[in-house]
Every structure is written in C-alpha cells, then in structure tokens.
Amino acid sequence: MKFTAFLKTRGATAAIFMGIFYAVAMLGIFLPGYTAIPGNVDKLPIAIINDDAGKNGAMIAENLQENLPFKEIETDITNKQALKDLEHNDLALVVHIPKTFSENIQKGEASSSIDFTINEAGATVVSSTMNSVVNEINSQLSTQFSQQTAQGVLMNFNVPEKQAAELAEKIEKSYEGNVVTINEIPDGMNHNMLPMFLTMAGYVGAMIGAMQLVGAFRASRGKASKTRLFTYVQMAALLIAVVSSIIAVGVAYLIDKPSGDLFFGIVGQQILNYMVCFNFTAILIFLFGEGGMILNLPILLMQTIANGATITRDMMHAPYEWMSHISPMYYSVQAYFANLFGSISPSPYIWSMAAVGAVAMLINMAIVVFLHKPMPVQVSETEVEKKAAEITA
C-alpha cells in the first residue's frame, strides 16, 4: 500500500480535516474574542459617589468623570447601593469620597482618604485592571494634594528645624488612598481559575459522554423502544455525573482546599453542571451523529471566552455576549464564584443553568420523537423461550 493511498483512507482524511478545522476554529474564535482585552475595558461600569461637604470632593469627582477611560459612570447612587451592585458584579469599581474629605485635607490629616472598592470574586481581568487604575489615581491625587498642602503651610521659610520636619510629614501624609477589596481570593492562579476548571472538567466530560451514550442509543435501536433507550441514556449520564463529580471535587479539595462546609453544595452543582452540559452537547449529536462533535468543538471554544471567568459580559464582543446567555458554562462559572469566594447567593445562576438544561432535554426529546424513526423491537431468543415456557406451564 502506497503512502498516497493511505492518505486517502477514511481515518487519514478525517485526521487531516480535524487538524485544519480545529486550528482554524481555535484561532478564529480565541483571537477575536481576546481583542476585547484591553480594547473594551472602557465598557466596564463604575460608580463615583461624592458625599464630601467641601469643594475638594466635587473637584475630584468631576475630574475623575472627565479623565477616567470608562463610558458608563454612575453618580446618582448611594454608596450602600453601589457596594451591593459591586457584590453582584454589576459594577467594576466603587469610588467613595467621604463627607469629611475636604475638612481632613485642609487639616493635613492622614484620614483624608478616598475609598476605592474592588470585588475579586469575578472576572480576573476586571480586578487586575481596576487595581491598576486605582494605583494610578492614588499616585496622581497624592502628588496633587501634597503640592496644595505645601503651598498652604510653607508660606514662611524661616521655620525651626523641628517644625519644618513636622510640616514635611504633614505634607507627605496629606492624602492616602484607601483600597478596599471585598470577597478576596487566596493567592495563586489555581484559586482564580478553579470555577472555570471545575466547569470545563464537567463540560468536556459531558460532551464526550454525550457522543458515547448517544452512540449506544443508536446502536441499541431495535432492542428497546425509543422512550426506554432515551431514559437509559439519561440514567447512565446521571450515574456518570455523580461519580465523576465526587472525584473532580475531591481533586479540587486536595489542591485548592476550599471550605469543607461547601463540599456538598459544590458536588451538587457539579452534578447539575454535568447533566446540563450533557443535554446541551447531545442536541447536535442526536441530530448529526458523530458529526455533531465537530460542531460542538467551536461552541466549546466560544464558551471558554463567554463563560465570564476572564472577561465580563460588559467587555465581550456581541457574539460572545449572546452566547453567554445560553451557555451552561457561564452560569456554572458565576455560580462557583459566588459559592466559593462571593458574598451573594449562587441560586440565580443555578436556576438559570437548570433552565438551559431543561430546554436542552426537551429539544433532545423532540428530536428523538419526531426525527428518529421508530424501529420494531426485536425479541431475543431467551425471551421467546421464556414466554413459551410460561404458555406451556
């Protein structure tokens, strides 16, 4: 057999196709998706709340609105409501200028600070970007107010050495930015990426499981009714979901060591994640057989950006943002962030993920009922002999 003949075999042509298809799909999805960083950073919503009774607060609030690179800046909101929105990741940064800010600046007190609050329990790009922005703001404000204080207190150059030292310290400490981080994540990228990795472990396993179990469904046609075989597929998927989820969460606990109180909640979510992803990916396989796996690959790649672990919906380009609304991965990742590191309930994300799974299962049932032609159920020889024995008896 010549090499050219070997290349024409089904396996070789399929390998060639998949090599090209996967390269084009991966680069064609990932590269455009990640152009949102830092290109769409300006789409992140922030809030600036000025409670200062003096002039300095108004001046700073106005300057920040003019100079910060964000298109959506909320100002007509209370600090309490802004912090609540921040916990739900509806805001990326909350800047709060306290009531006594101008008074403390004039006195040169170290307590003259502005609060910058960041939520770490969300997309990694958001928290890192906000930290960079806050550091730059604080650096500029520190320089600005030190100069203002200097002009106010060093009017007389003939001051005693001791007094000069006190004045210098007063100038240096005239402003200090207060960076507040809520829902802190332990150091290490393994912690930041745990919600995404848990989700992807379930998704990829479910996608491969869907190919195998739907294949078993097709191979078993004629041995049982479509309804019974579909039920068997779902029962087998549930069994795999339970076993694989316990093992996956066990591995996560060995390495990342989350709180023990969360164990059963995480296992439960991982089981749900598997079942939702199973039915979600099974749609194309019920429709197109093994060819459905080829279509599932770009959908998987798209969800690695659309799941919100790296960038938020606000930053995503339109196709990825649309995908996030029907993506099991998005709701799973957000639920894990809320459960593992956040201070809000993961329930809204859990229910949204369950809704995606329910719709996917209904679609699969419709495909089996209306598109898969019924086949006569074959009776095995053992069953024939058993029935004959019953009649004889």
Side-chain angles (χ1 to χ4, degrees):
M1 184 180 191
K2 294 183 179 180
F3 180 61
T4 53
F6 177 79
L7 288 178
K8 294 178 182 178
T9 60
R10 183 178 179 181
T13 53
I16 294 169
F17 171 79
M18 286 304 298
I20 297 171
F21 176 80
Y22 192 76
V24 172
M26 187 169 186
L27 295 175
I29 291 172
F30 277 8
L31 294 182
Y34 281 114
T35 59
I37 308 170
N40 289 352
V41 167
D42 60 341
K43 294 184 178 181
L44 292 173
I46 71 168
I48 300 175
I49 301 97
N50 176 32
D51 289 332
D52 184 23
K55 296 181 179 179
N56 286 309
M59 177 189 67
I60 291 174
E62 184 178 351
N63 287 339
L64 289 177
Q65 290 180 62
E66 292 177 355
N67 297 318
L68 285 178
F70 302 109
K71 295 179 181 179
E72 187 177 343
I73 301 177
E74 292 191 42
T75 56
D76 189 18
I77 188 174
T78 65
N79 188 50
K80 183 178 180 180
Q81 181 60 46
L83 292 176
K84 184 177 180 181
D85 291 345
L86 182 68
E87 287 185 344
H88 287 80
N89 286 313
D90 293 329
L91 291 173
L93 172 68
V94 174
V95 182
H96 179 228
I97 305 172
K99 184 177 182 179
T100 58
F101 179 76
S102 290
E103 180 183 348
N104 292 338
I105 281 290
Q106 291 172 0
K107 295 178 182 179
E109 294 181 0
S111 59
S112 53
S113 63
I114 296 175
D115 294 329
F116 300 88
T117 309
I118 302 167
N119 183 9
E120 282 197 356
T124 54
V125 167
V126 174
S127 58
S128 61
T129 300
M130 291 303 115
N131 271 303
S132 299
V133 169
V134 169
N135 288 336
E136 181 63 27
I137 294 172
N138 279 330
S139 176
Q140 293 181 7
L141 289 177
S142 180
T143 301
Q144 176 183 346
F145 282 106
S146 292
Q147 291 173 349
Q148 288 183 5
T149 304
Q151 293 174 0
V153 299
L154 295 182
M155 299 298 292
N156 182 5
F157 292 97
N158 298 318
V159 294
E161 182 178 351
K162 182 178 180 181
Q163 187 177 355
E166 292 176 353
L167 290 174
E169 184 178 358
K170 185 177 182 181
I171 293 170
E172 184 179 353
K173 295 183 177 180
S174 61
Y175 170 80
E176 289 184 2
N178 182 32
V179 181
V180 180
T181 302
I182 63 172
N183 303 325
E184 290 190 36
I185 298 177
D187 293 335
M189 280 298 290
N190 56 308
H191 296 290
N192 290 81
M193 301 307 293
L194 181 58
M196 179 175 174
F197 288 160
L198 274 171
T199 297
M200 287 197 69
Y203 191 102
V204 174
M207 184 172 68
I208 297 172
M211 181 182 69
Q212 300 295 336
L213 290 177
V214 174
F217 170 89
R218 291 174 176 272
S220 301
R221 294 292 305 278
K223 298 178 181 179
S225 66
K226 292 190 300 181
T227 302
R228 176 172 291 187
L229 287 176
F230 184 82
T231 304
Y232 288 168
V233 166
Q234 296 295 327
M235 290 173 61
L238 181 59
L239 176 62
I240 297 168
V242 172
V243 175
S244 64
S245 296
I246 293 173
I247 294 173
V249 175
V251 172
Y253 267 79
L254 286 173
I255 298 172
D256 279 28
K257 300 178 176 61
S259 170
D261 296 340
L262 301 175
F263 181 82
F264 291 105
I266 297 174
V267 169
Q269 181 183 329
Q270 190 70 0
I271 292 172
L272 176 63
N273 174 46
Y274 185 99
M275 291 302 298
V276 172
C277 295
F278 174 85
N279 280 284
F280 185 80
T281 56
I283 293 173
L284 292 174
I285 302 174
F286 271 119
L287 281 173
F288 306 112
E290 292 184 1
M293 278 295 289
I294 299 175
L295 299 175
N296 270 326
L297 283 174
I299 294 174
L300 166 63
L301 295 175
M302 198 167 185
Q303 287 183 84
T304 58
I305 295 175
N307 63 34
T310 306
I311 59 178
T312 65
R313 274 180 176 167
D314 301 296
M315 294 178 65
M316 294 175 192
H317 295 306
Y320 304 89
E321 193 267 335
W322 296 335
M323 173 60 74
S324 72
H325 290 283
I326 62 169
S327 164
M329 287 182 67
Y330 177 84
Y331 297 114
S332 178
V333 167
Q334 301 311 310
Y336 274 132
F337 268 124
N339 201 7
L340 288 166
F341 309 116
S343 52
I344 60 173
S345 171
S347 296
Y349 302 113
I350 295 291
W351 283 111
S352 296
M353 182 166 55
V356 171
V359 172
M361 181 180 286
L362 288 174
I363 293 173
N364 286 327
M365 291 171 65
I367 293 170
V368 170
V369 170
F370 297 110
L371 299 184
H372 287 246
K373 295 181 179 179
M375 294 179 63
V377 178
Q378 300 174 359
V379 181
S380 65
E381 294 182 4
T382 304
E383 291 179 339
V384 171
E385 293 175 356
K386 186 177 180 180
K387 288 181 179 180
E390 290 176 354
I391 293 173
T392 304

